Amino acid sequence: IGHVRITQFNEPTAQELDQKLNELQGRGMQALIVDLRYNPGGLLTSAVDVSGLFLPARTMVVYTEGRDASQRREYFTSKNQKQRPNFPMVLLVNSGSASGSEILAGALKDLNRAILVGDTTFGKGSVQSVIQLPDGSALRLTTAKYYTPSKQVIHEKGVTPNIKASLTADQERALLLRHRDGLLSPDEQKFVNDQKDPQMDRAVDALKGAMIYNQNDKQSQATQQ
């Protein structure tokens, strides 16, 4: 089971992830966990490109819709996208997963490409226009909202996981320490080692079940042939 963590969606994120997936598949990866916990988002185009690593070419990932029909805009994976093998996959999400994380999670969940494990995401999915006022201040106006492929609104709703799994306060703190750059103090390291990660454990259990199912299905097909 491969494991990658995406901290935010920047311009090179899809390319870097593509390289990492090539390495993991070269080492025999049969399933994948993508950790999006506390990922605040980033570039919309990057989230769409990352989605394209796991979906067929020209697949709609997300769309915007407002009161005006002209505000409808659809975002698709590249028409030249090379699809990877359809290995079992889990996305780890929590209330700190926002914006681009929710676009990726919503698309892969709706299109049955990945299982979501964790807590409901933050719910940040609006398109805003800034109107400058004469006194130098500005008005920020929401003009459209983002929707997943199955027409589920993201803003203020978030994306709900397939498998609900929450962390205690201590487990949350340990997770943040694991994600922190730099060395931990001896006390912090001991604290982290003593804390479990139930969300990761549920993800691993889900993938093990999917891998066994896939193996049995292949054996059944071979027997029929």
Side-chain angles (χ1 to χ4, degrees):
I1 297 175
H3 173 227
V4 296
R5 182 166 68 93
I6 303 177
T7 57
Q8 57 186 336
F9 291 92
N10 293 324
E11 189 171 339
T13 301
Q15 182 180 354
E16 292 173 352
L17 179 59
D18 185 51
Q19 293 173 352
K20 181 59 64 175
L21 292 175
N22 287 338
E23 293 176 14
L24 291 171
Q25 286 184 256
R27 291 160 55 188
M29 179 181 70
Q30 299 177 38
L32 176 67
I33 295 172
V34 178
D35 194 341
L36 297 175
R37 292 176 294 183
Y38 296 111
N39 181 324
L43 297 175
L44 169 62
T45 52
S46 176
V48 173
D49 289 343
V50 169
S51 300
L53 296 177
F54 307 106
L55 297 171
R58 296 298 299 166
T59 298
M60 188 177 72
V61 174
V62 68
Y63 69 93
T64 61
E65 195 170 271
R67 292 181 179 179
D68 193 325
S70 65
Q71 293 167 333
R72 168 88 183 200
R73 186 171 180 184
E74 299 174 343
Y75 297 86
F76 293 84
T77 58
S78 170
K79 63 180 179 181
N80 300 318
Q81 188 65 51
K82 178 183 177 183
Q83 190 177 7
R84 292 180 174 274
N86 198 36
F87 44 72
M89 185 174 170
V90 163
L91 301 183
L92 286 174
V93 295
N94 67 0
S95 60
S97 306
S99 190
S101 297
E102 296 175 288
I103 288 172
L104 175 62
L108 297 194
K109 178 189 177 186
D110 281 3
L111 299 172
N112 297 315
R113 180 60 189 89
I115 299 170
L116 267 57
V117 174
D119 294 302
T120 300
T121 60
F122 183 79
K124 180 184 177 185
S126 64
V127 180
Q128 295 185 323
S129 300
V130 178
I131 302 172
Q132 295 294 333
L133 301 178
D135 64 356
S137 61
L139 175 66
R140 192 181 296 271
L141 184 67
T142 298
T143 55
K145 294 180 179 180
Y146 287 102
Y147 292 80
T148 70
S150 68
K151 303 180 180 180
Q152 301 299 309
V153 66
I154 293 174
H155 196 61
E156 297 181 343
K157 298 290 185 181
V159 181
T160 57
N162 301 98
I163 300 175
K164 174 76 172 178
S166 298
L167 304 182
T168 65
D170 281 347
Q171 289 167 345
E172 288 271 6
R173 179 175 170 238
L175 177 63
L176 290 170
L177 286 172
R178 291 188 189 103
H179 288 180
R180 192 178 74 185
D181 293 331
L183 296 176
L184 301 179
S185 69
D187 287 343
E188 289 174 333
Q189 190 61 62
K190 182 180 184 305
F191 175 77
V192 167
N193 292 340
D194 289 341
Q195 298 299 319
K196 294 183 178 181
D197 186 347
Q199 293 172 337
M200 181 67 73
D201 292 341
R202 291 297 300 274
V204 171
D205 288 343
L207 288 177
K208 285 182 177 178
M211 291 162 66
I212 292 172
Y213 175 83
N214 286 350
Q215 184 177 13
N216 291 340
D217 188 49
K218 289 179 180 178
Q219 292 176 347
S220 176
Q221 291 178 3
T223 301
Q224 292 175 2
Q225 292 175 355

